[in-house]
Amino acid sequence: LIRMIMSAKKTVYIQTPYFTPDEQFYTALKIASFSGVDVRIMIPRDWDKPYMKAASSEFARQVIGDGVQVYLYPGFIHAKTITVDGNICSIGTTNIDNRSFSLHFEQNVIFYDAGLASECERIFFEDMEISSPAHKNEYDSRPLVVRAWWSFCKLFSELM
């Protein structure tokens, strides 16, 4: 997945129910964004686990500051896809979290097929139409106790 992101020239679109990336994945997103790649991530607006929402909110706040666009899907999104440059896509069970990366036996299929990648992009944009863009100032304006909770949960994100 990191190699896919690092190969991007134009776009990286990610849909994931949990967004607590490890350092390598987070760095790949930053490098792509800083290189002028259009990086967009779609996460749920409504979560099944409050501690994951807290940790994911802090990561979302940070990547927005790095130029990544974050969208909040209405309800809970369970899609786990990555599409790069409209040419390659990954569909599978891997969340963007340490448990998926290191602890679970997650499975993804990587398709080197422009037709399927275009269809995944179409679905992403269709979902984006009903989603809300997240803004850093909205995250930054939360009360200090909320942001402290997010940071606390982020500290333990590798265990979540």
Side-chain angles (χ1 to χ4, degrees):
L1 299 178
I2 291 170
R3 186 170 292 158
M4 286 175 60
I5 294 167
M6 294 302 292
S7 73
K9 304 287 186 246
K10 298 177 190 169
T11 61
V12 174
Y13 302 139
I14 299 172
Q15 291 181 303
T16 184
Y18 305 121
F19 182 65
T20 57
D22 63 13
E23 189 64 33
Q24 294 84 0
F25 196 92
Y26 184 84
T27 299
L29 293 174
K30 283 186 356 182
I31 290 170
S33 178
F34 292 164
S35 298
V37 174
D38 177 15
V39 181
R40 300 180 192 200
I41 301 170
M42 189 175 298
I43 57 176
R45 184 187 64 213
D46 302 324
W47 298 75
D48 60 342
K49 299 173 183 158
Y51 54 88
M52 284 301 291
K53 177 181 183 176
S56 294
S57 294
E58 182 58 22
F59 278 107
R61 185 184 77 76
Q62 288 181 320
V63 295
I64 291 170
D66 295 325
V68 173
Q69 297 176 59
V70 175
Y71 293 87
L72 303 175
Y73 182 84
F76 186 75
I77 189 169
H78 207 259
K80 298 164 185 166
T81 65
I82 299 176
T83 306
V84 173
D85 292 340
N87 293 317
I88 182 174
C89 62
S90 170
I91 302 171
T93 63
T94 304
N95 297 304
I96 307 304
D97 65 11
N98 192 58
R99 293 180 70 84
S100 288
F101 292 160
S102 302
L103 301 174
H104 295 158
F105 296 101
E106 303 286 358
Q107 299 292 312
N108 280 41
V109 178
I110 297 175
F111 297 93
Y112 295 88
D113 182 283
L116 183 58
S118 293
E119 179 65 12
C120 288
E121 279 189 355
R122 185 195 64 74
I123 292 168
F124 184 92
F125 278 98
E126 188 176 279
D127 290 344
M128 200 173 75
E129 288 294 319
I130 61 171
S131 298
S132 306
H135 301 285
K136 190 169 185 307
N137 63 343
E138 292 171 358
Y139 287 111
D140 289 345
S141 66
R142 299 295 170 104
L144 183 59
V145 68
V146 171
R147 295 208 25 228
W149 168 244
W150 291 352
S151 294
F152 177 79
C153 289
K154 181 184 174 210
L155 283 173
F156 294 96
S157 64
E158 290 190 19
L159 305 174
M160 297 182 186

